[in-house]
Amino acid sequence: MLIFFVIVGLLVASGEGVETKVYDSSVLHITLDDPIIERVNDKEFDIDFATFEPKKRLGLNDILQNIDKASTDDRIEGIFLDLSGIAASPSTIQAIRDALLEFKDSG
């Protein structure tokens, strides 16, 4: 049982502190192929026990925060949305649309 918790702890620690480099004239690539929930709690840990990997959870708060960051970052030239399959409520999609319009208006 102790070994299980050690493995889970290592999986949690491996996902933290990942730094992304942003170059001039970059494009923010947002893939919306997982269900979008209203808010993701970073403290929660959800694991797929078949693969022992953390489950990807996409929160509206994260999407809007990243679009807002892109609008204030002079190195981001545009946003590319990968909409191969989007599972979200109409109000969630509207919130993302509004954030994209604000990004567009920011120049």
Side-chain angles (χ1 to χ4, degrees):
M1 190 66 156
L2 178 63
I3 293 174
F4 172 75
F5 287 112
V6 170
I7 291 172
V8 170
L10 290 173
L11 288 172
V12 170
S14 68
E16 295 177 3
V18 177
E19 187 174 323
T20 302
K21 271 199 160 206
V22 178
Y23 300 100
D24 289 337
S25 301
S26 292
V27 174
L28 175 62
H29 181 187
I30 301 175
T31 305
L32 300 175
D33 57 352
D34 292 318
I36 300 172
I37 57 177
E38 188 69 29
R39 180 171 296 276
V40 173
N41 184 353
D42 293 334
K43 306 285 187 229
E44 287 182 19
F45 182 69
D46 200 7
I47 189 168
D48 181 3
F49 288 104
T51 62
F52 286 105
E53 293 184 4
K55 288 183 181 177
K56 285 191 338 186
R57 298 180 63 186
L58 192 58
L60 178 61
N61 58 327
D62 296 324
I63 296 169
L64 298 179
Q65 181 181 21
N66 286 318
I67 293 172
D68 185 53
K69 281 189 224 176
S71 68
T72 59
D73 192 336
D74 294 333
R75 299 170 294 176
I76 304 291
E77 294 289 325
I79 297 177
F80 172 70
L81 292 178
D82 187 354
L83 301 173
S84 56
I86 185 168
S89 69
S91 61
T92 298
I93 296 170
Q94 182 66 42
I96 295 170
R97 179 185 181 276
D98 293 343
L100 290 169
L101 290 174
E102 287 179 22
F103 173 82
K104 181 181 176 184
D105 291 340
S106 71

